[in-house]
Amino acid sequence: MGGGTIWDYYHPIRYLPGEIASAFSTEADFLRRDLDDNRLRVTLKPADEEHYTGHKIRVVESTNPQWYRELYLARMHLKRQRSLRSLERLSRGDDLPYLDRRGAVSPFGSYDSLYREMIQGRLINGYEVDDGFIPEQILVKRFFSCGN
């Protein structure tokens, strides 16, 4: 397989060549750990200007990863636990096809295809992180015929 491949993100990564599938799995594991380690945490603290006795305000202690916040805004009903399970399946190479055996959209396969699509874009185009830019993976970019 190579340029002009018929693989798309509706199919599990096991249909990709080893090095390409491995890049997807590695990125999925990174995303899973990032999502698991970083979540929105809000606490209450006494208000600087008290308007009534016991007045408190909400303070954000930590946030979800930027990529998850963007995906959450773009997709209605995105569930954190389903996302974590999907990324775990992808990291193990046990991801599910978009359609089940009857040809119906699988709720778990739809999460897997969502993350396969996102990972494919990240691997082909690179992406911003807090402290810089992670460049594209040339091997993956060439496989999907997006490179030189």
Side-chain angles (χ1 to χ4, degrees), residues 16-97:
L16 291 168
E19 290 180 77
I20 307 300
S22 178
F24 273 75
S25 292
T26 300
E27 187 67 16
D29 188 53
F30 168 78
L31 293 170
R32 182 194 54 77
R33 286 183 283 113
D34 193 27
L35 185 57
D36 198 36
D37 292 346
N38 299 291
R39 65 179 318 122
L40 179 62
R41 285 190 182 80
V42 179
T43 59
L44 294 174
K45 78 167 199 138
D48 294 335
E49 293 182 29
E50 220 176 85
H51 294 285
Y52 53 87
T53 304
H55 182 199
K56 297 193 185 254
I57 59 171
R58 289 183 176 88
V59 178
V60 174
E61 284 187 351
S62 63
T63 62
N64 286 312
Q66 180 68 31
W67 62 265
Y68 186 76
R69 292 193 307 262
E70 290 169 4
L71 192 59
Y72 188 87
L73 289 174
R75 302 277 303 194
M76 298 298 285
H77 310 296
L78 188 67
K79 303 290 185 200
R80 183 185 193 83
Q81 287 306 313
R82 282 190 175 185
S83 292
L84 287 166
R85 286 191 298 267
S86 176
L87 291 166
E88 177 65 29
R89 283 191 299 274
L90 277 156
S91 69
R92 291 190 321 254
D94 295 334
D95 50 320
L96 303 168

Side-chain angles (χ1 to χ4, degrees), residues 106-121:
S106 163
F108 304 115
S110 64
Y111 268 76
D112 291 2
S113 64
L114 171 69
Y115 283 107
R116 282 189 294 261
E117 179 182 16
M118 186 180 91
I119 290 169
Q120 183 180 15

